[in-house]
Amino acid sequence: MTAALNIAFEAPDVIRAPGSSKTRPVDLIAIAVQTRGDKGAELELLQGFARQARGCLLTLSAGSSQAETRQAATRLRNSALTVGALDVVTAAELIETKGVTPDTVASVSAAVLAAEHFILKLAR
């Protein structure tokens, strides 16, 4: 009987709680820590990331040289790390390792688009 009661009242094992920052395109907790909770600074940081990400996407899709492409991918990865956009980081790392292909550019574009939509929703 005690074993059944222990099981009934134990906390469930939860790896990722719904709504945790790991399920969002941007880690709001990391940004809040960086900006010390200043909402204006948070929004400015996020909008700066979105602008830089769009610029990097232009470079990646413009058929630039190998060096420019690698620099754009690295700049995008570092910028994404700053705001905790882990999907963008992963996609940018694909470009750094595999180079610019239609698939890698599509992965980066999709990740950046998801992050940008999330940022736009926050800015409302």
Side-chain angles (χ1 to χ4, degrees):
M1 179 79 171
T2 16
L5 286 175
N6 286 341
I7 291 172
F9 291 105
E10 285 181 6
D13 293 329
V14 178
I15 295 171
R16 285 171 65 178
S20 74
S21 62
K22 294 195 181 3
T23 61
R24 297 181 185 130
V26 172
D27 187 355
L28 295 178
I29 296 169
I31 294 170
V33 169
Q34 285 180 34
T35 61
R36 295 187 178 127
D38 182 352
K39 298 298 179 190
E42 288 177 14
L43 189 57
E44 190 175 321
L45 179 67
L46 289 170
Q47 289 174 337
F49 162 72
R51 278 191 301 277
Q52 186 167 19
R54 272 185 256 120
C56 291
L57 279 177
L58 285 173
T59 302
L60 294 173
S61 61
S64 303
S65 71
Q66 181 104 10
E68 290 174 333
T69 305
R70 189 167 298 275
Q71 287 174 352
T74 301
R75 194 169 48 249
L76 178 61
R77 181 180 56 83
N78 292 339
S79 181
L81 279 170
T82 302
V83 297
L86 300 181
D87 291 342
V88 177
V89 171
T90 303
E93 286 173 347
L94 279 176
I95 287 184
E96 289 179 328
T97 57
K98 294 184 177 185
V100 176
T101 66
D103 290 338
T104 57
V105 172
S107 295
V108 169
S109 298
V112 168
L113 185 64
E116 194 166 0
H117 280 285
F118 184 77
I119 292 166
L120 288 172
K121 286 179 187 177
L122 289 175
R124 287 188 192 172

